[in-house]
Amino acid sequence: MPKSYTSQHSESAGVPDSADLRQRESEAIRNAYLNTQQSRSTLNSPVHASRTSILPFGESSGLLSHSDGLQGYRTVPGTPRGGLSRRASYASMRIRPLSRAHSYLRRSARAASISAGPGQEGDQQAGTASIVRDDRMWYDQMTSVDWVKDSIADAYRVKELRARKDWRGRLQASFDGAQGWILVAIIGCVTAGIAYIIDVTEAAIFDYKTGFCSRRWWYSKRKCCSGANVCEEWSRWSSLVTEDGGDNLWLDFGAFFIWVVGLALLACLVTLQTKTVISSSVAIATLDENLGAGHYGKSEDHEDVLSPTRQAARVAQRPPLIYYPGAGSGVAEVKVILSGFVLHGYLGARTLFYKTIGLILSVGSGLSVGKEGPYVHVATCVGNIASRMFTKYSQNDGKRREVLSASVAAGVAVAFGAPISGLLFSLEEVSYYFPPKTLFRTFFCCIAAALSLRFLNPYDTGKIVLFEVRYVTHWRFFELIVFVLLGVMGGVTGALFIKASRFWATTFRRIPTIKKYPMVEVLIVAVITGLTSFWNRYTRLPVAELLYELAAPCDAFLNTGSGLCPTEERIPDTIRYLIAAFILKAALTTVTFGIKVPAGIYVPSMVVGGLLGRTVGHAVQLLTLKYPDFGLFGGCPVDGNPESCVVPGVYALVAAGATMCGVTRLSVTLAVILFELTGSLEHVQPFSLAVLIAKWTADALEPLSIYDLLTDMNAYPFLDSK
């Protein structure tokens, strides 16, 4: 039998030596590597089976589209970007000639390969260079980040950078390591600057509801009167109409009502400018804090689970989904984004601009909203925009989320003037991936934000928060019983607030007119707020200033009025006045949360708890004054000072923290916030005890926090790392 050429060659050549084997092995690996570069994958379509023109994969192609024309999961266009577009779902976009579909396989082949031969060395080097340069993974709207893919891409980038041993390579490596520190410092400073603008502007706009400064109209009341409550330079609106220039209660009420309604509607109008429409193929209910979003029936979907064609037709018939990134606080969405979910445009410059303007107007209108929660969203927008400065973060979504974690902490730091609390908030509440190096950078970002805000001095007091208090009277042992009671009451109040928010959202906000025209709900809430808030001083004050008055100790005591520093005879009147304010403020906070304006829940929930705690504090104070010889009160001094034994402000702050814990389920972060607001180590134990009791109570009554409720009702694909 004639032998083949290969057999004859083998017999004539004998047994090949080791060098020949190595050469053949190297050639086989190089061929496999080149074949990997030229291959194209074909995936089965889970939804649609329509064929389109055969297009190669590229950076602008959808991650879920197929090279053979089979369309996969329908993708949604995102926010346009400069340079390369992130609208990755359309085949008509510009396609890069080099595919990234098998970049992981290429890296694996490159790592396992031996040095290339003379004829193919150039091709292999070109392929390797493209892998290093082309490390961006483009994610579609409503998809999730590939943490492993982004981690591998960053590892190869760092390895390539450290491979250079010359002075230029070492310099580039040093600059690469410093980029994170430079970035978080910029984020902290810019966040503090935006917070300064918001604080100063909203304070002046808020005071316009009651009057104006006659010498400088753009001054707030605090700045016009140099910190005093009343001064001659501050004039009421009724003085412009009356003949004698005196005050008229009903004219002042009319001006107050017009300002509240007008500013609230203007805030809603600004917020509606962030309207974003998403294809109905994304089966998600809503993307803001309107808990009344419609959910598609699960029973109908279950009937068609075995009929993909009918299921696709039904999905196509659904109306597009609409959400407003500028509405609400944005904390729940930021938490989901940090877990890897992709929401294009939610952290963009457009959202930042409208959110800032809308926040100034909504807080200035006097609605029961806070600015602390939206500060988190604003700071995260700053971090997302600033990360575009360096390709290390702009082209790696996994690395960028490390920067966003630091940005979240900076938002809390400027909101409460508590840098340590900002760090703990990012670690405890929102961050999904928090390596040790991010911990130190986040703390640096918080310090930069706090120092920058102190330098800007928004309150003209040298402090970065308005409601910073100091206690000099130590708490008594019998007060532990009351602190435990306040913890239970705060937990119950927080749980009831969550249940009431769910009930209000699933009943009132399901009305077709309210769902179709969000401004109608804002108008209704603003009218109710304007009609009811004017007649009670504690509901008329801004929430931050009210919280300060509730928590502050008294220097003098009055025998008239319904102030917070009454004598023994006036304490019952103060208690009744506080109960009325508590009921009204709790109702307004419930119906306001979720309307289409920038609105936070942190300080409003603390104010509701503060009113409750101050009421309990005055009741305990009255008992100690009436029964000084009672056994539990035996250690209290009797010197005529109502606060010589019991300080109602401590009860207010303890209940404020307990109520906020019941709403948000923050624990360690909240205890540290209260400590940084008071600066008193003596009262850390009552704060911590009340927070623990409130969390246990709220978890027993309502397992979901307010942000867990938002995540659940909005059907976010969030997997809790805890």
Side-chain angles (χ1 to χ4, degrees):
M1 179 179 295
K3 298 181 179 180
S4 64
Y5 173 78
T6 306
S7 302
Q8 294 177 358
H9 179 73
S10 299
E11 290 181 0
S12 62
V15 179
D17 55 8
S18 58
D20 191 14
L21 287 175
R22 285 195 299 269
Q23 182 178 0
R24 294 181 185 180
E25 182 181 1
S26 176
E27 182 179 357
I29 294 176
R30 287 197 302 271
N31 291 336
Y33 170 73
L34 294 177
N35 291 335
T36 302
Q37 281 188 316
Q38 297 172 359
S39 63
R40 296 291 185 268
S41 65
T42 302
L43 303 176
N44 296 324
S45 173
V47 177
H48 300 285
S50 61
R51 291 186 175 272
T52 58
S53 59
I54 299 177
L55 293 174
F57 281 98
E59 282 191 346
S60 298
S61 62
L63 293 178
L64 305 179
S65 59
H66 300 159
S67 60
D68 64 345
L70 289 175
Q71 184 180 0
Y73 293 99
R74 182 182 297 180
T75 52
V76 184
T79 302
R81 307 290 182 185
L84 295 176
S85 173
R86 299 189 71 171
R87 308 176 77 169
S89 301
Y90 288 92
S92 60
M93 301 297 291
R94 176 173 59 87
I95 305 298
R96 291 175 62 95
L98 181 60
S99 168
R100 297 193 65 258
H102 308 287
S103 57
Y104 179 77
L105 296 177
R106 294 176 193 164
R107 292 192 182 95
S108 301
R110 176 67 184 88
S113 64
I114 312 177
S115 59
Q120 299 175 344
E121 182 176 2
D123 295 338
Q124 189 171 359
Q125 290 179 354
T128 304
S130 68
I131 293 172
V132 175
R133 292 193 303 266
D134 200 16
D135 279 337
R136 178 66 188 270
M137 172 69 81
W138 295 90
Y139 297 103
D140 290 321
Q141 182 77 296
M142 304 296 164
T143 58
S144 295
V145 171
D146 189 343
W147 293 96
V148 176
K149 173 68 180 62
D150 288 339
S151 178
I152 292 176
D154 185 67
Y156 272 91
R157 182 193 62 82
V158 174
K159 183 178 180 181
E160 180 72 16
L161 188 63
R162 293 178 179 177
R164 299 186 57 178
K165 300 301 182 182
D166 56 342
W167 66 272
R168 184 174 297 179
R170 295 179 183 274
L171 186 62
Q172 290 179 353
S174 300
F175 178 69
D176 180 79
Q179 287 179 5
W181 299 99
I182 297 173
L183 194 57
V184 296
I186 294 175
I187 292 171
C189 296
V190 174
T191 301
I194 296 177
Y196 170 80
I197 295 174
I198 294 175
D199 290 339
V200 174
T201 309
E202 67 87 8
I205 293 178
F206 189 95
D207 291 337
Y208 286 159
K209 298 194 302 297
T210 58
F212 62 95
C213 186
S214 57
R215 55 189 179 94
R216 289 181 176 86
W217 62 269
W218 62 89
Y219 273 14
S220 64
K221 184 177 181 180
R222 174 179 292 272
K223 194 169 184 179
C224 181
C225 299
S226 301
N229 292 328
V230 181
C231 65
E232 295 181 357
E233 289 81 5
W234 186 258
S235 303
R236 295 187 176 273
W237 294 107
S238 59
S239 63
L240 299 176
V241 181
T242 56
E243 296 179 357
D244 56 353
D247 297 337
N248 185 285
L249 180 63
W250 289 103
L251 290 177
D252 291 334
F253 168 70
F256 179 87
F257 178 81
I258 293 174
W259 276 102
V260 170
V261 176
L263 291 174
L265 293 179
L266 191 57
C268 180
L269 183 63
V270 172
T271 303
L272 295 181
Q273 303 307 309
T274 62
K275 179 180 179 180
T276 304
V277 181
I278 298 179
S279 172
S280 59
S281 61
V282 181
I284 201 169
T286 184
L287 290 173
D288 56 31
E289 293 182 355
N290 178 11
L291 302 182
H295 287 68
Y296 303 117
K298 296 181 179 180
S299 59
E300 296 179 357
D301 293 341
H302 182 70
E303 294 175 0
D304 293 340
V305 68
L306 299 179
S307 178
T309 304
R310 293 180 57 192
Q311 181 71 9
R314 175 169 296 177
V315 169
Q317 293 176 359
R318 291 174 180 170
L321 299 173
I322 300 175
Y323 74 98
Y324 303 89
S329 65
V331 176
E333 287 75 15
V334 169
K335 182 178 180 179
V336 173
I337 290 174
L338 289 182
S339 70
F341 194 54
V342 178
L343 287 175
H344 292 321
Y346 205 89
L347 302 179
R350 180 169 172 266
T351 301
L352 174 62
F353 174 77
Y354 286 115
K355 184 97 175 186
T356 303
I357 302 300
L359 181 60
I360 293 173
L361 296 173
S362 64
V363 176
S365 67
L367 297 176
S368 185
V369 299
K371 58 188 176 183
E372 288 71 21
Y375 273 168
V376 174
H377 188 191
V378 168
T380 311
C381 290
V382 173
N384 183 64
I385 298 171
S387 63
R388 302 172 188 172
M389 298 172 55
F390 304 109
T391 57
K392 171 182 176 180
Y393 297 101
S394 64
Q395 296 190 3
N396 192 305
D397 289 74
K399 290 289 293 181
R400 188 193 306 157
R401 277 156 175 77
E402 297 180 11
V403 177
L404 299 184
S405 297
S407 304
V408 168
V412 177
V414 298
F416 292 99
I420 301 177
S421 302
L423 172 65
L424 293 176
F425 177 83
S426 180
L427 179 62
E428 178 183 358
E429 180 65 17
V430 298
S431 293
Y432 196 83
Y433 175 65
F434 208 82
K437 62 179 180 180
T438 304
L439 180 70
F440 195 29
R441 288 179 183 174
T442 301
F443 183 59
F444 178 71
C445 185
C446 294
I447 295 298
L451 291 178
S452 300
L453 190 62
R454 187 180 185 112
F455 172 77
L456 294 173
N457 194 16
Y459 303 112
D460 295 327
T461 58
K463 302 176 182 179
I464 58 179
V465 290
L466 184 60
F467 49 91
E468 184 178 10
V469 294
R470 292 289 183 269
Y471 299 119
V472 295
T473 303
H474 301 304
W475 56 277
R476 310 287 174 172
F477 186 77
F478 74 88
E479 293 180 282
L480 283 177
I481 303 174
V482 187
F483 294 149
V484 171
L485 177 63
L486 289 176
V488 174
M489 297 173 67
V492 171
T493 304
L496 291 179
F497 171 78
I498 296 174
K499 292 182 180 296
S501 298
R502 182 192 288 113
F503 174 78
W504 180 260
T506 54
T507 53
F508 179 77
R509 292 197 178 114
R510 292 289 177 87
I511 300 175
T513 303
I514 300 300
K515 292 184 64 176
K516 188 176 181 180
Y517 304 104
M519 192 171 288
V520 174
E521 183 184 9
V522 176
L523 176 61
I524 295 174
V525 174
V527 169
I528 296 175
T529 302
L531 292 176
T532 57
S533 298
F534 180 80
W535 309 105
N536 191 299
R537 178 179 180 273
Y538 301 135
T539 58
R540 192 170 62 244
L541 288 175
V543 288
E545 185 176 345
L546 175 58
L547 183 60
Y548 169 74
E549 290 198 9
L550 291 173
C554 296
D555 297 328
F557 300 91
L558 302 177
N559 195 25
T560 58
S562 55
L564 294 177
C565 298
T567 58
E568 180 179 350
E569 294 77 14
R570 302 296 303 178
I571 288 180
D573 296 334
T574 301
I575 292 177
R576 286 190 291 268
Y577 201 73
L578 287 172
I579 291 176
F582 166 74
I583 296 174
L584 182 59
K585 200 68 176 180
L588 290 177
T589 303
T590 302
V591 300
T592 304
F593 181 75
I595 63 175
K596 293 299 183 294
V597 296
I601 193 61
Y602 290 150
V603 173
S605 64
M606 295 181 72
V607 166
V608 172
L611 289 169
L612 178 63
R614 188 85 187 194
T615 303
V616 175
H618 281 298
V620 176
Q621 184 184 54
L622 183 61
L623 291 177
T624 58
L625 294 175
K626 283 187 172 296
Y627 306 101
D629 298 331
F630 186 67
L632 291 177
F633 312 144
C636 294
V638 183
D639 54 3
N641 184 2
E643 291 192 355
S644 60
C645 182
V646 174
V647 181
V650 175
Y651 292 74
L653 205 54
V654 168
T659 305
M660 182 177 171
C661 176
V663 173
T664 64
R665 307 301 160 85
L666 293 173
S667 54
V668 179
T669 301
L670 191 50
V672 177
I673 287 177
L674 297 176
F675 163 68
E676 290 189 90
L677 290 179
T678 60
S680 175
L681 286 173
E682 180 70 21
H683 293 84
V684 170
Q685 294 91 345
F687 296 153
S688 303
L689 179 63
V691 167
L692 288 175
I693 299 297
K695 183 171 176 58
W696 290 335
T697 304
D699 286 339
L701 298 177
E702 174 58 56
L704 297 178
S705 70
I706 190 63
Y707 297 121
D708 293 335
L709 178 66
L710 293 173
T711 303
D712 181 65
M713 298 193 70
N714 289 333
Y716 290 131
F718 177 74
L719 180 62
D720 196 344
S721 61
K722 302 175 183 177

